[in-house]
Amino acid sequence: MGKRLPGGKRRGPLPACMREWDKPQPFFPQMESVTEVTDGAPTQFDNRVNYHQTASWRARNNIRRMAIKLITMHGKSVCDGVSNSPNKALADAGARGELIDPGARPAALYLAQHKPTPSKAKIDGGGYWQADHVLYGYYETTLFTVSEIPEAKPAPGSNQIHMSVGMSDDNDTAQRDGTLTWRNVFCPCEPCCRLDFTHCKMTKEFGKVKIMKFPRVTQTGPTQTESLEEFGAYLDRDTIVALRCDAGRPSRVASGLR
């Protein structure tokens, strides 16, 4: 039987075959920072919007985020292979004629119910990255909006950033200015790993950290109503379309497509 982990801001009802996790406390209540090592793919990690997210992570989530760009990680991370598993499971479901409601949450629920454990357990195989259990999660589509992930202004020389972290604790300042502490190489000394850059032991080799700003763009595009009207203008008369909308606002969406 699948279990739902604690936490999360958007929690819908569970199907009968699933239940809540029996340990409701957070897994890492003392977590203060997280270090992410990526391959630096420009379309995924190396852009002004992601730098702004890193700069304001502490203020918004109470966890400081250090992002490290390591080109040698390209194509060699565990996620490069593991990410194929959900796609294959959902494709197999479609081939068998099973219907899954659209959206990220129904897909995650299906996987948790029908693929609760790895097909090959870690105890039966080898390799440091081989999974011994599976945790499924999803992002609501509402998280991928400008209000949640705001556009940011670019900064000259950002291609030199290979280590970055947001040190501002003030939410308003962090989200407005996007002040990023950065270096063109990651320093592995103990103070820097604790984000105590003032006492870096390898300043002579790597230089001091620098400051770069990726301020939030105040207006990044049309409003939701304007976008809906623009979309409707492209439709032919009597065209039928399917849209995701809040249960309490179907008439408002429909009126935008007259």
Side-chain angles (χ1 to χ4, degrees):
M1 175 180 288
K3 301 178 183 179
R4 178 162 62 181
L5 299 177
K9 299 178 180 178
R10 296 165 174 82
R11 300 169 68 82
L14 288 175
C17 59
M18 298 188 68
R19 61 185 176 86
E20 298 288 351
W21 189 261
D22 50 5
K23 297 180 180 179
Q25 71 273 12
F27 286 106
F28 308 106
Q30 280 76 43
M31 178 180 283
E32 296 180 354
S33 63
V34 61
T35 299
E36 298 180 358
V37 182
T38 68
D39 58 17
T43 56
Q44 299 176 45
F45 311 111
D46 186 16
N47 60 68
R48 60 186 184 275
V49 175
N50 196 52
Y51 287 141
H52 180 90
Q53 290 289 298
T54 299
S56 59
W57 203 262
R58 170 75 171 92
R60 292 182 294 110
N61 300 294
N62 206 34
I63 296 176
R64 209 175 299 281
R65 174 191 186 192
M66 176 191 283
I68 299 173
K69 185 196 304 182
L70 187 61
I71 304 301
T72 54
M73 289 288 290
H74 184 69
K76 301 177 180 66
S77 170
V78 60
C79 61
D80 289 297
V82 172
S83 60
N84 295 323
S85 299
N87 290 335
K88 186 177 186 305
L90 295 175
D92 289 344
R96 292 194 302 270
E98 297 186 31
L99 296 179
I100 303 175
D101 291 337
R105 186 174 189 271
L109 283 175
Y110 174 86
L111 293 169
Q113 294 174 65
H114 298 278
K115 299 290 182 180
T117 58
S119 57
K120 185 174 180 60
K122 186 173 184 178
I123 193 172
D124 295 329
Y128 178 77
W129 281 341
Q130 190 158 343
D132 54 3
H133 62 278
V134 182
L135 305 177
Y136 290 109
Y138 69 95
Y139 290 104
E140 276 284 359
T141 53
T142 53
L143 294 175
F144 298 96
T145 60
V146 173
S147 60
E148 293 286 343
I149 307 178
E151 282 288 337
K153 297 180 181 179
S158 61
N159 61 328
Q160 302 177 34
I161 297 177
H162 280 70
M163 184 287 299
S164 60
V165 60
M167 299 300 291
S168 177
D169 292 330
D170 181 75
N171 185 50
D172 291 337
T173 302
Q175 298 233 47
R176 182 187 67 243
D177 298 337
T179 303
L180 200 68
T181 299
W182 70 279
R183 201 184 241 144
N184 58 8
V185 65
F186 167 68
C187 176
C189 78
E190 182 180 351
C192 285
C193 287
R194 291 188 282 103
L195 307 183
D196 181 12
F197 302 115
T198 304
H199 298 94
C200 174
K201 297 180 179 180
M202 304 185 73
T203 303
K204 183 178 179 180
E205 290 80 5
F206 299 142
K208 296 182 178 180
V209 295
K210 303 175 184 178
I211 300 297
M212 190 177 293
K213 292 186 177 183
F214 295 86
R216 179 174 181 164
V217 177
T218 54
Q219 180 62 41
T220 59
T223 64
Q224 186 177 24
T225 301
E226 291 171 341
S227 297
L228 188 62
E229 292 176 348
E230 183 179 348
F231 171 65
Y234 282 99
L235 300 177
D236 296 328
R237 180 178 293 276
D238 299 326
T239 299
I240 298 176
V241 297
L243 295 174
R244 294 175 62 90
C245 63
D246 293 339
R249 298 192 303 166
S251 59
R252 178 179 177 183
V253 174
S255 65
L257 294 177
R258 289 180 299 176

